[in-house]
Amino acid sequence: MNKLYIVVPAYNEEEILKSSAEVLLNILKKLISDNLVCDESRILFVNDGSIDSTWQIIKDLKKLDEHFTGISFSRNEGHQKAVLAGLKNSVEKGADLTISIDADLQDDVNAIIEMVKKYHQGYKVVYGVRSSRKKDSFLKRFTAQSYYKLLKFLGIELVYNHADFRLLSKEVVLSLSLYNEQDLYLRGIIPQIGFKSDKVYYQREERKAGVSKYNLRKMLKLASDGVYSFSLKPLRIVNIFAWILLIGGIIASICCFLLIPPLYGDYTIGCVVSLMCVLLSIVLFAISIVGNYVGRTYMESKKRPLYFISEDLDKNI
C-alpha cells in the first residue's frame, strides 16, 4: 500500500488552519478506507516562519491525531521554498506520493481523490488545473491570461491555469531535489523534469477565512522568477532594442538637425530633449533587465542553503 503525504505550506494561517485540517483529515481517512493509500499516510504542515499561533496550532493537531505532523522554518522563506521543503521532507519519511495544497483550501480537496486514482493508473505527475476563472475580477483574469501568453512567447513551458496544487510521485520529488535554485518557480521546473503526467480539473472556491498572503509584491516577484529563471529572450530583446536605438538615433539626428529647423524653428531643442528622454528610458529599462540576470547569477553562485528547519514534530528537534 502506498504512503501519501499531503503537504500544506502555512504562513500566518491561524484563522483557517483548524477548519482546513479537519477537511483534509476527512479526505485522507476516505482515501485510507478506500484502500487507495496506507494508514501511515500523513498531513504535513510546513510553518513558513509564522508570527501568529500557526505553529502552536500545528503542534496541537499533532497531539489530537497521529495523521498530522509538521515542520517549521527558522524564519519566513516564502511559499515556493515551503512547498519544496515539505515535498523533500515527505520523501525522507517514506512517502511514495505527495500532494501539495495551500492552507486556505481554495483548491478543491475532492480533486485529491482523483489525483490519487490517476497515480494508481501510472501517472507520476498530476496537475490540479482550474476549469475556469469566472470568479476572478476582470483585472486579475486579464493579467493572469496575459502572463501565461507572455511566458509562452518567451518559450517557457507551463500548464495553463495551474498553480501549486499537484501530485508528485517519489521519483519526481527526488528529481526535483536536485534543483537548488534560490529563486524557485516550481510550476516552471516540474514540467521540465518530465515523467508521465495528467490533469485533474476543478472549480476554485473563495477563501473562507483570513486574507491571502500573496500580496502584489510577492505576486510580481513570483512572476519575474518565472521569466528570468527559464528564458534568455529578454536579453535577446535588449539586443534588438540596441539596434533599433542605433538606427533610430541616426534617423532622428538627421531629422532634428536638417529637416526640423526650416519647418519648425525654435521647436528643435524641445524635440531633441523629448527624443533623448524616450531613448534614455529605454536604455535604463534594458540595463535593468541585464542587471536582473547578473544579480540572480551572483546570488546563485553563493550556493547558500534554501532554508533551515528549526523544528520537526516527528524528530522532536
Side-chain angles (χ1 to χ4, degrees):
M1 191 77 67
N2 299 117
K3 182 188 290 188
L4 165 68
Y5 266 62
I6 301 176
V7 176
V8 188
Y11 176 64
N12 292 346
E13 295 287 4
E14 62 181 4
E15 295 181 57
I16 200 172
L17 200 58
K18 290 182 181 178
S19 59
S20 295
E22 182 180 355
V23 172
L24 289 171
L25 183 60
N26 290 335
I27 289 293
L28 182 60
K29 288 185 175 180
K30 177 172 175 54
L31 288 169
I32 294 171
S33 64
D34 291 344
N35 293 318
L36 291 173
V37 299
C38 69
D39 190 54
E40 286 71 36
S41 298
R42 296 289 182 265
I43 299 168
L44 172 67
F45 292 100
V46 182
N47 176 41
D48 185 18
S50 300
I51 57 176
D52 62 2
S53 61
T54 294
W55 182 235
Q56 184 58 51
I57 293 173
I58 294 171
K59 291 193 286 186
D60 293 340
L61 288 170
K62 170 73 172 176
K63 295 176 183 177
L64 290 174
D65 195 294
E66 63 179 359
H67 291 100
F68 292 117
T69 188
I71 58 176
S72 181
F73 281 173
S74 59
R75 52 162 289 172
N76 178 247
E77 297 288 359
H79 178 269
Q80 295 292 281
K81 293 179 181 178
V83 173
L84 179 63
L87 297 176
K88 293 170 69 173
N89 189 264
S90 298
V91 169
E92 289 171 3
K93 293 174 179 176
D96 299 297
L97 62 155
T98 62
I99 294 177
S100 56
I101 185 171
D102 289 343
D104 56 22
L105 298 191
Q106 286 185 265
D107 300 315
D108 186 4
V109 294
N110 293 304
I112 291 176
I113 298 174
E114 296 303 314
M115 288 180 174
V116 175
K117 289 180 179 178
K118 293 280 186 182
Y119 171 81
H120 285 290
Q121 294 171 13
Y123 293 100
K124 302 299 183 182
V125 181
V126 183
Y127 299 103
V129 180
R130 296 178 62 174
S131 56
S132 71
R133 286 185 171 271
K134 293 181 179 179
K135 293 184 179 181
D136 289 349
S137 64
F138 171 78
L139 179 60
K140 188 173 182 179
R141 184 165 59 250
F142 174 76
T143 53
Q145 292 172 345
S146 300
Y147 178 63
Y148 279 111
K149 290 178 181 178
L150 172 62
L151 293 186
K152 185 177 181 180
F153 168 75
L154 294 175
I156 302 170
E157 183 181 359
L158 281 184
V159 177
Y160 186 69
N161 276 345
H162 164 70
D164 289 295
F165 181 34
R166 67 178 77 86
L167 177 147
L168 300 178
S169 69
K170 178 180 179 179
E171 299 92 328
V172 179
V173 175
L174 289 175
S175 299
L176 181 61
S177 299
L178 300 176
Y179 288 79
N180 290 301
E181 301 175 12
Q182 291 292 327
D183 297 310
L184 282 170
Y185 189 68
L186 296 177
R187 64 190 75 174
I189 293 175
I190 292 171
Q192 288 188 342
I193 295 177
F195 291 94
K196 187 177 180 181
S197 65
D198 200 359
K199 302 173 184 175
V200 169
Y201 293 90
Y202 67 95
Q203 185 67 44
R204 188 171 172 84
E205 302 297 330
E206 297 291 335
R207 179 181 259 268
K208 295 180 174 60
V211 295
S212 174
K213 306 308 181 296
Y214 251 103
N215 54 33
L216 180 60
R217 180 183 62 82
K218 291 182 178 180
M219 290 177 65
L220 292 175
K221 171 65 168 57
L222 184 65
S224 65
D225 288 343
V227 174
Y228 290 116
S229 297
F230 294 93
S231 178
L232 293 177
K233 276 193 175 182
L235 288 176
R236 298 189 184 104
I237 293 173
V238 168
N239 187 49
I240 294 173
F241 269 128
W243 282 102
I244 293 175
L245 286 175
L246 176 61
I247 296 171
I250 294 173
I251 296 173
S253 297
I254 295 173
C255 291
C256 286
F257 294 104
L258 298 180
L259 300 180
I260 293 181
L263 296 175
Y264 299 101
D266 294 338
Y267 288 101
T268 304
I269 296 178
C271 291
V272 173
V273 172
S274 298
L275 180 62
M276 289 183 64
C277 289
V278 172
L279 295 179
L280 181 60
S281 65
I282 296 175
V283 170
L284 291 175
F285 177 71
I287 291 175
S288 70
I289 292 178
V290 176
N292 263 292
Y293 280 103
V294 174
R296 288 165 185 265
T297 302
Y298 170 69
M299 294 304 297
E300 293 294 341
S301 68
K302 293 176 178 291
K303 299 187 181 301
R304 291 174 174 172
L306 298 181
Y307 51 81
F308 291 102
I309 296 176
S310 59
E311 293 185 70
D312 186 330
L313 297 184
D314 289 327
K315 297 180 179 179
N316 295 318
I317 294 178

